[in-house]
Amino acid sequence: MKLCVIPGDGIGHEVVPVAVGVLQAVLPGLQLVFADAGWEEFCRNGKALPERTLAAARECGAVFFGAVSSPMQLVEGYRSPIVQLRRELGCHANIRPTLSLPLASSRSGIDLIIVRENTEDLYVGDEQSDGEVAVAIKRITRKASLRVARSAFELARNAGRQRITIIHKANILPRTDGLFRDCAREVAQDYPEIAVDEMLVDTAAMRLAQAPESFDMLLAPNLYGDILSDLVAAFGGGLGLAPSLNLGVAAAIAEPVHGSAPDIAGQGIANPLAAILSAAMLLRVWWQRPELALRIEQAVRTTLLDGIATPDVMSPGVSTQHLARVVIERIRLQQD
Ligand code: GGG
């Protein structure tokens, strides 16, 4: 088994080695191929996603990506490497679960999954401007919408989920969001055991803030899925605990939802649990090793139950390395 490891920027360098250590604890034979991408790589070598990184990711199929800090203004020649990587590897679905955890910052009763389309929509960043007028292209295709809907319904079936809520804004965008919604409804017909409803994205934001526990799965176009999943992550304890998996046919990218967090990078206090839980998703969904995923998730849960966590969710909190040692030790103890 091979894993391409791309720490990226900022706290990616701190949390990715921890997640890789956890994977090695359950998969001792795992081969690692390290590669670079991100803003730091762009500043060093002029490319945010070098060809050799893409080649390594393609060769391994399984990828672990940390975080990236794309600049907030236009930089000639720079394109977000994670957006490119998802598209280049054909990772069409981004699976973002939120589960209540034994933490004061986590709300009880939540167990939901957002499935976000991952290859098109405004998030691709296809923009033009003449200085007076700026245009961003929102491109939604039948092919990509059917594909992500199929993945969402398959996931729901395999995970025994009851209901999928399709997210859109088809009252204002009937051609683009309407197409996405109609494709999801078309695929839904093949899954009669799964209830389907739909919700405008603004209503969904309010309902998620009021009653996140009332949702089971949500299926959303790229940008809405990005925004709603950060909102929901707050109820799971915060971005430091929010995992994700970018899923395709030939590749999967495990990736914590959080960014590179430059404000805390280098301090040794970044929360590695989102990365660790992303590693568990890689095991469950991509490598089809649910029993190993469960061991990791149990180690995380018992660690939190014992009040051991980083300062973002616990006061006073322990360091990234301390938390990593505790989780890995617990995984090893399960074996004996
Ligand atoms: N691990 C996810 C991540 O890095 N998120 C920040 C993000 O979305 N960045 C987009 C970018 O900076 O290109």
Side-chain angles (χ1 to χ4, degrees):
M1 255 175 200
K2 270 189 169 181
L3 178 67
C4 177
V5 182
I6 309 174
D9 295 325
I11 62 167
H13 296 289
E14 298 167 55
V15 299
V16 170
V18 173
V20 169
V22 165
L23 279 172
Q24 286 176 312
V26 295
L27 281 177
L30 184 65
Q31 284 180 54
L32 304 176
V33 178
F34 289 90
D36 294 310
W39 175 247
E40 294 163 21
E41 175 63 13
F42 179 80
C43 294
R44 275 192 303 264
N45 296 317
K47 275 211 146 185
L49 183 64
E51 270 309 318
R52 60 183 177 282
T53 298
L54 201 47
R58 283 206 176 100
E59 191 210 322
C60 293
V63 178
F64 205 105
F65 189 94
V68 57
S69 326
S70 291
M72 301 271 191
Q73 69 288 332
L74 185 69
V75 173
E76 218 46 64
Y78 182 89
R79 283 171 64 206
S80 165
I82 184 59
V83 173
Q84 272 190 75
L85 191 64
R86 290 168 183 160
R87 288 188 79 191
E88 292 283 350
L89 297 186
C91 291
H92 60 272
N94 189 331
I95 306 167
R96 296 187 159 191
T98 300
L99 188 64
S100 299
L101 289 167
L103 274 172
S105 58
S106 178
R107 209 157 123 164
S108 65
I110 302 172
D111 180 6
L112 67 81
I113 300 175
I114 294 181
V115 177
R116 163 188 174 191
E117 200 288 324
N118 221 16
T119 62
E120 54 184 28
D121 192 5
L122 283 168
Y123 210 85
V124 170
D126 186 358
E127 291 186 303
Q128 288 166 24
S129 171
D130 63 7
E132 292 297 323
V133 179
V135 176
I137 306 290
K138 180 177 167 93
R139 184 169 180 272
I140 301 285
T141 64
R142 188 172 149 75
K143 186 177 171 196
S145 303
L146 290 173
R147 193 173 53 184
V148 71
R150 181 69 60 189
S151 292
F153 279 91
E154 280 298 309
L155 183 69
R157 178 173 274 172
N158 294 334
R161 296 275 169 167
Q162 312 289 316
R163 181 165 47 96
I164 292 188
T165 303
I166 306 162
I167 304 300
H168 61 79
K169 188 75 182 170
N171 54 344
I172 302 297
L173 298 165
R175 290 193 174 83
T176 48
D177 281 11
L179 176 60
F180 182 85
R181 185 263 326 270
D182 293 348
C183 288
R185 285 223 171 258
E186 190 178 319
V187 171
Q189 289 174 5
D190 294 338
Y191 301 83
E193 77 278 20
I194 299 165
V196 177
D197 58 8
E198 58 183 87
M199 206 174 275
L200 295 173
V201 62
D202 43 342
T203 310
M206 186 193 67
R207 293 284 298 281
L208 280 167
Q210 280 177 334
E213 59 287 337
S214 67
F215 288 85
D216 191 354
M217 280 182 71
L218 296 90
L219 170 60
N222 204 340
L223 186 61
Y224 304 153
D226 181 45
I227 296 167
L228 293 182
S229 57
D230 271 33
L231 168 70
V232 171
F235 300 121
L239 278 178
L241 294 134
S244 84
L245 187 73
N246 301 277
L247 186 63
V249 174
I253 310 167
E255 180 198 357
V257 170
H258 63 69
S260 60
D263 52 330
I264 57 159
Q267 295 179 31
I269 55 166
N271 192 337
L273 295 184
I276 291 174
L277 293 169
S278 302
M281 291 184 75
L282 195 59
L283 281 163
R284 175 175 287 110
V285 180
W286 185 248
W287 283 321
Q288 302 275 306
R289 298 295 301 271
E291 77 289 0
L292 299 183
L294 204 58
R295 281 178 53 197
I296 293 174
E297 289 157 357
Q298 275 168 352
V300 167
R301 190 164 276 275
T302 61
T303 302
L304 291 175
L305 274 170
D306 288 343
I308 305 167
T310 44
D312 54 320
V313 287
M314 193 78 70
S315 185
V318 298
S319 69
T320 309
Q321 283 309 316
H322 182 111
L323 183 53
R325 277 194 298 276
V326 172
V327 172
I328 290 173
E329 179 64 19
R330 284 173 189 226
I331 291 170
R332 295 226 160 92
L333 284 173
Q334 292 164 347
Q335 275 168 316
D336 301 331

